[in-house]
Amino acid sequence: MARPNEDVEALLQEYADLIAITGGDAFKARAYEKAARAIGGHPGDVSRLDVAGLKEIPNVGTSIAEKVVEYVRTGRVEAVEESRARIPAGVRQLIAIPTLGPKKALTLYEDLHISSVDELADAIRAERLRGLKGFGEKTEQNILHGIDLMRQAGGRILLSTAAEAAEEIVAGLSRIPGCEQCAHAGSLRRMRDSIGDLDILVAADRPAPFMEALTELPSTAEVIAHGQKKTSVRTVKGVQVDLRVVRRDSWGAALQYFTGSKAHNIRTRTIAVRQGLKLSEYGLFGARGGRRVASRSEEEVYARLGLPWIPPALREDRGEIEAAQRGELPEVVTEADIRGDLHTHTDLTDGLAPLEEMVAAAARRGYAYYAVTDHAPNLYMQRMTDEKILAQREQLRALDGERRMRLLHGTELNIGPDGEVDWPDAFLAGFDLCVASVHSHFGLDRRAMTRRLVRACENPHVNIIGHPTTRLIGRRPGIDVDLDEVFAACARTGTALEVNAQPDRLDLGDEDILRARSHGAKFAINTDAHSIPHLAYLRYGVGTAQRGWLTPEDVVNTWPLRRLRGFLRKHPGG
């Protein structure tokens, strides 16, 4: 279920943007940004805290705490409402464009009276921005690319946002008497990286109570359609939800049908036709007599078609039908297979929780091992030093002796433009593992970017390439790089590719995972957690890995510690 913390985080971040748009105090805007992150990553429910309790959260002072209490109590904050009223809604939308920040949005509004995304696109094409300071031809191209990204995303939402909304609705409907089954379906069940609409399925004899209940849920803001077979609503966060109620004896067929994908369903229906059958959301029927031969469970439906049950994440018509027919479906990795997280952060750099708290939270997840990998010194804003990282190592070693979970001391290095990383070899040799990631210079040409990543793979101390394409879903495209050359280098050098579970990254994505796997590369599914709640993001990384057909053998952090340590010694081939 969605947490109040996330609503408060969004509000404070919006207020920070509003301050910046209006040319307010940059320090104040930054303070609200920091508070937003701290509240979003706070493990407790902030709606239960008073001002004093809120002030115990890092970066939350009295003024911010009072605004949070006001919001929790009334659903609004007067200061935010006043700021919103001073700025046209179109201008507020401008800052949602990737590559366009609040200062540039304010300049566009004040100098050219631009107050919508469409007006901005037209102004760029008419070359009206050329006279503005800070708006060169390259900036125009970047803004147009950002507008295209935003439009391509359309009304799609992140996997995590969809999952939280769906779980809240499923929990609410499951409590209604007469509910025999309730689940989400569609692209969410297939764990796509972004979701359009939510599909919810209920098995019950009487649809009416469930249709009515959906319209009355606290999260429902608008009823789009209300019928006996289907009801559609829009949530307060703008997500469309489609509810269908079926009889219990049709549950399996309906779940298979509404899970999709469309291409996968065409293949299963074609198989049915070849067998003299007809497959629909109501069941599998004989084409002539109309007798139902399978419908109660997905396993039953697939078995009658001569197939094993196919995991939802694989149902994209990317070879899963053929693999099933050959008996070669992969036993895809599950969350239960993960023995430890190999990329996490603490408040030593840009994390929100101290080392001890992150370690304790990881131990509660039942991990066999856990790595702390705070940022290295070349990410200058984090102010890392040799002394700080060595002191953390001593602290970690002391904690390691107190727990059954083994602790690994690592770092997240920065891959520089030429492929260089922070710290000399002798210093890097003291770490248990090193993640290396691109954090800057995203605009290098394809050849230079490829050479950059290959050189990082060839570094004997680099064990994992973190968020390899650097994409941010709906906000920033991946870097221009010859991924096949990078994947081959990873396989050759014994360097794992990360499947970063942060919902706005999910990087590598599923299609890239499939390509990398064909090269023989290994992978690490990590959360890149910057707070305790982020550790739960693991499931999104696992879902993405499943879509890439990964098995536990492919994923190094499913391995026992002894085997993992062997891989971390960087012997090519793992």
Side-chain angles (χ1 to χ4, degrees), residues 446-468:
R446 184 179 182 85
R447 185 176 179 182
M449 191 67 79
T450 303
R451 183 172 61 247
R452 176 187 193 180
L453 284 173
V454 169
R455 281 196 63 192
C457 294
E458 292 171 344
N459 187 305
H461 301 290
V462 171
N463 306 114
I464 300 169
I465 301 296
H467 41 78

Side-chain angles (χ1 to χ4, degrees), residues 145-293:
H145 185 62
I147 291 173
D148 288 340
L149 275 176
M150 188 171 68
R151 286 173 172 168
Q152 288 168 19
R156 299 187 71 82
I157 58 174
L158 294 179
L159 175 62
S160 57
T161 303
E164 290 163 357
E167 287 161 5
E168 186 172 358
I169 292 167
V170 167
L173 296 180
S174 296
R175 290 191 288 267
I176 296 174
C179 179
E180 297 188 48
Q181 295 265 44
C182 185
H184 62 260
S187 54
L188 173 57
R189 188 168 181 238
R190 301 197 315 276
M191 298 296 281
R192 287 197 59 182
D193 56 20
S194 65
I195 311 297
D197 301 336
L198 293 181
D199 294 290
I200 306 294
L201 200 61
V202 167
D205 291 332
R206 297 178 57 243
F210 300 92
M211 301 301 188
E212 191 65 30
L214 179 65
T215 67
E216 296 177 352
L217 286 176
S219 59
T220 295
E222 174 190 3
V223 178
I224 300 170
H226 189 176
Q228 284 297 304
K229 292 186 177 180
K230 177 183 174 182
T231 292
S232 298
V233 303
R234 199 175 311 280
T235 72
V236 293
K237 293 190 175 182
V239 183
Q240 180 170 325
V241 181
D242 298 326
L243 170 65
R244 296 170 178 86
V245 180
V246 300
R247 295 183 62 85
R248 177 65 185 90
D249 56 8
S250 294
W251 173 259
L255 187 59
Q256 192 276 333
Y257 179 87
F258 288 113
T259 293
S261 65
K262 181 179 179 180
H264 178 87
N265 284 355
I266 289 172
R267 297 295 306 279
T268 55
R269 288 201 300 271
T270 300
I271 293 171
V273 169
R274 288 173 179 166
Q275 297 180 12
L277 302 169
K278 181 180 179 181
L279 178 61
S280 73
E281 64 265 42
Y282 301 107
L284 189 60
F285 299 89
R288 292 184 179 178
R291 183 176 67 87
R292 184 158 52 188
V293 297

Side-chain angles (χ1 to χ4, degrees), residues 346-347 353-360 370 372 374 392 395-396 399:
T346 75
D347 63 356
L355 174 66
E356 298 92 333
E357 293 181 12
M358 291 297 290
V359 167
Y370 177 74
V372 174
D374 275 313
Q392 183 187 66
Q395 187 182 7
L396 193 88
L399 288 172

Side-chain angles (χ1 to χ4, degrees), residues 514-552:
L514 285 164
R515 288 166 57 193
R517 187 171 184 263
S518 71
H519 283 277
K522 296 299 183 184
F523 303 83
I525 305 173
N526 298 323
T527 64
D528 192 2
H530 285 65
S531 67
I532 290 170
H534 287 181
L535 294 172
Y537 287 163
L538 180 70
R539 61 173 173 156
Y540 305 124
V542 169
T544 303
Q546 290 177 343
R547 290 179 59 80
W549 291 48
L550 295 189
T551 70

Side-chain angles (χ1 to χ4, degrees), residues 37-53:
R37 288 187 62 244
I39 286 176
H42 184 65
D45 183 346
V46 296
S47 69
R48 300 177 180 274
L49 299 177
D50 58 12
V51 169

